[in-house]
Amino acid sequence: MNYWLVKSEPEVFGWDDLVKDKVAIWDGVRNYQARNNLRLMKKGDYVLFYHSQTTKDVVGLSEVSQEFFQDPTTDDPNWVSVKLIPVKKFVEPVTLAALKANEKITELIMLRNGRLSVMPVAKNEFNEIIKMSKTKI
DNA sequence: GCCAACGTTGGC
DNA sequence: GCCAACGTTGGC
């Protein structure tokens, strides 16, 4: 099983929207690196859900419910989507500042490349983030 | 609102 | 194939 993190602007599509809709089609990705990561996602992989721009925190855990398929918002076969379902809202959101301050979190791509919207997370760092969220999975 | 970082585009 | 210019993202 692999671990991932996706970024979303809550004003466009936030955690509450995911819960309300019960499933999200993760479409509109137009970046090759992010696209490559979408293609590597397997059903059942855990996906951290991060709110960019506003609160800048990881707010919950989601899961891949369907592996990649043609992005329905374009006919260009370069672009793919996956489906995500909510697993659990974090008891305490994990802020970007807290991630930066945690010495155990060193590889997280977001801390170096602020622009990538879909990225892998190392297992030990994933576990650390879950621990920081005070949430039982 | 500004600016840094980075990806993409297009001229050569 | 290189590199400058430009656009976009996202933190501050």
Side-chain angles (χ1 to χ4, degrees):
Chain A
M1 138 118 78
N2 288 308
Y3 305 92
W4 309 92
L5 181 145
V6 296
K7 284 202 280 210
S8 186
E9 292 181 47
E11 291 181 9
V12 179
F13 188 90
W15 174 262
D16 292 340
D17 297 305
L18 178 63
V19 171
K20 179 160 55 74
D21 295 351
K22 299 196 169 62
V23 58
I25 298 177
W26 213 254
D27 58 22
V29 171
R30 296 292 182 271
N31 169 287
Y32 286 101
Q33 229 183 320
R35 187 281 311 270
N36 292 343
N37 290 329
L38 287 179
R39 282 185 171 167
L40 292 170
M41 286 185 181
K42 296 294 180 194
K43 187 172 175 172
D45 279 358
Y46 277 152
V47 182
L48 297 166
F49 198 102
Y50 177 80
H51 278 170
S52 63
Q53 311 266 19
T54 53
T55 49
K56 282 163 288 180
D57 48 10
V58 184
V59 290
L61 179 66
S62 61
E63 176 183 328
V64 178
S65 67
Q66 186 179 330
E67 292 173 18
F68 77 90
F69 53 93
Q70 170 68 40
D71 185 332
T73 63
T74 176
D75 291 330
D76 186 339
N78 277 321
W79 307 118
V80 300
S81 298
V82 298
K83 285 189 185 174
L84 298 181
I85 53 173
V87 175
K88 208 158 196 184
K89 183 175 183 169
F90 280 175
V91 175
E92 287 188 20
V94 179
T95 64
L96 180 64
L99 290 170
K100 283 183 172 172
N102 188 327
E103 289 174 1
K104 291 177 189 160
I105 311 270
T106 57
E107 293 173 34
L108 189 62
I109 294 166
M110 196 166 61
L111 302 186
R112 269 180 290 119
N113 179 358
R115 305 195 38 199
L116 189 62
S117 61
V118 181
M119 70 198 78
V121 180
K123 185 177 184 183
N124 62 316
E125 299 196 353
F126 174 86
N127 289 335
E128 180 65 20
I129 293 168
I130 295 297
K131 197 200 278 182
M132 291 165 82
S133 77
K134 301 198 164 59
T135 308
K136 282 263 194 297
I137 301 302

